[in-house]
């Protein structure tokens, strides 16, 4: 059975494509030499130029179809993103309403205590909104073929790393407003880590990202199991 390939575009894998289909896309100008390809949704993504060159007639006999062109131990960036401010639209809208009401009371109030209370509440709410927006802006997510890296904080930075082979479960949650904005949150469960459950908030195409995490996790776990079996066979 011939191998199939996937193309990494717009942070999601597309495919599968046969080698002949890839050559057809290249002829039509729809496949760039710098596009990333992977055999059978593997964890190693290589430039299209390398894949096609390895399967030219003069190279087919010298390149085994079961051996990747490069070492699978090299870590490669698969996806990078950050939370969307749209995920907090309802919170911002409600706080904005409260700020407007408090500001209106502060301006129209003739009583000094009411004025100070409304003005103070407005300042606190504005400060909270600003802090929340900066917190969201300071958060970022990186998915490689080996790890999931979550960074949070703009001034005091916290970084959480999860090895993909430890991931046991993933899920996606979307509110009605999230579906309108085409965003959502992905929850990842890794029981045998210091952070057994983490969440990637407010990202675009959450279903595709969740599927990428799941497939990469299964792939690298199977790869580690294969390496363990080879070590056992070598030892015996």
């Amino acid at each position: 059975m011939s191998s199939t390939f996937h193309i990494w575009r717009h942070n999601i894998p597309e495919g599968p494509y046969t080698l002949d289909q890839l050559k057809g896309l290249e002829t039509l100008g729809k496949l760039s030499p710098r596009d990333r390809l992977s055999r059978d949704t593997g964890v190693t993504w290589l430039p299209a130029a390398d894949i096609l060159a390895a399967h030219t007639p003069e190279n087919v006999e010298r390149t085994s179809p079961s051996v990747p062109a490069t070492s699978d131990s090299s870590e490669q960036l698969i996806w990078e993103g950050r939370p969307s401010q749209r995920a907090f639209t309802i919170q911002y809208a409600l706080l904005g309403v409260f700020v407007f009401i408090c500001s209106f009371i502060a301006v129209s109030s003739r009583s000094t205590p009411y004025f100070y209370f409304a003005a103070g509440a407005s300042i606190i709410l504005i400060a909270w909104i600003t802090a929340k927006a900066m917190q969201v802006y300071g958060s970022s997510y990186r998915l490689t073929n080996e790890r999931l890296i979550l960074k949070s904080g703009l001034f005091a930075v916290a970084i959480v790393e999860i090895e993909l082979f430890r991931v046991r479960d993933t899920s996606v949650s979307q509110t009605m407003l999230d579906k309108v904005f085409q965003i959502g949150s992905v929850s990842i469960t890794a029981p045998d880590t210091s952070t057994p459950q983490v969440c990637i908030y407010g990202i675009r195409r959450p279903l595709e990202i969740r599927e990428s995490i799941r497939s990469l996790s299964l792939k690298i776990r199977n790869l580690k199991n294969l390496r363990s079996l080879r070590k056992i066979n070598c030892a015996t």
Side-chain angles (χ1 to χ4, degrees), residues 43-234:
V43 297
T44 302
W45 294 86
L46 303 174
D50 294 349
I51 296 291
L52 295 177
H55 289 81
T56 54
E58 63 271 17
N59 291 331
V60 168
E61 295 182 357
R62 290 182 295 172
T63 304
S64 172
S66 60
V67 179
T70 60
S71 173
D72 55 9
S73 61
S74 59
E75 189 170 13
Q76 299 176 1
L77 179 65
I78 303 300
W79 168 78
E80 186 173 16
R82 64 175 61 249
S84 172
Q85 296 286 356
R86 295 177 178 179
F88 306 94
T89 300
I90 295 179
Q91 297 181 29
Y92 292 154
L94 291 175
L95 289 172
V97 171
F98 284 127
V99 169
F100 174 79
I101 294 174
C102 291
S103 300
F104 178 79
I105 294 174
V107 172
S108 61
S109 177
R110 297 181 180 179
S111 174
T112 302
Y114 282 109
F115 171 80
Y116 284 122
F117 173 79
S122 298
I123 294 174
I124 292 174
L125 290 174
I126 292 173
W128 193 92
I129 293 174
T130 304
K132 185 66 176 180
M134 293 178 65
Q135 180 184 4
V136 173
Y137 179 79
S139 300
S140 62
Y141 312 121
R142 291 167 61 89
L143 175 65
T144 73
N145 58 339
E146 297 179 1
R147 297 178 295 166
L148 176 64
I149 306 169
L150 297 85
K151 174 186 173 184
S152 60
L154 192 60
F155 301 107
V157 179
I159 298 177
V160 175
E161 295 185 5
I162 296 179
E163 298 289 342
L164 291 181
F165 75 90
R166 298 183 184 276
V167 174
R168 291 295 179 268
D169 190 24
T170 57
S171 61
V172 174
S173 60
Q174 284 182 297
T175 65
M176 185 177 297
L177 195 60
D178 288 341
K179 291 182 179 180
V180 173
F181 291 138
Q182 297 183 349
I183 58 177
S185 300
V186 180
S187 297
I188 300 100
T189 302
D192 53 346
T193 63
S194 58
T195 52
Q197 187 169 23
V198 295
C199 188
I200 305 176
Y201 293 99
I203 59 172
R204 298 180 183 276
R205 296 186 296 274
L207 295 175
E208 289 83 353
I209 300 303
R210 179 256 179 189
E211 182 60 29
S212 297
I213 294 174
R214 190 190 70 86
S215 60
L216 287 169
S217 173
L218 291 174
K219 197 74 176 183
I220 196 170
R221 197 181 306 148
N222 292 336
L223 184 61
K224 285 185 176 291
N225 291 337
L226 180 61
R227 288 175 177 172
S228 299
L229 289 174
R230 287 177 178 176
K231 288 181 180 179
I232 294 174
N233 291 335
C234 291

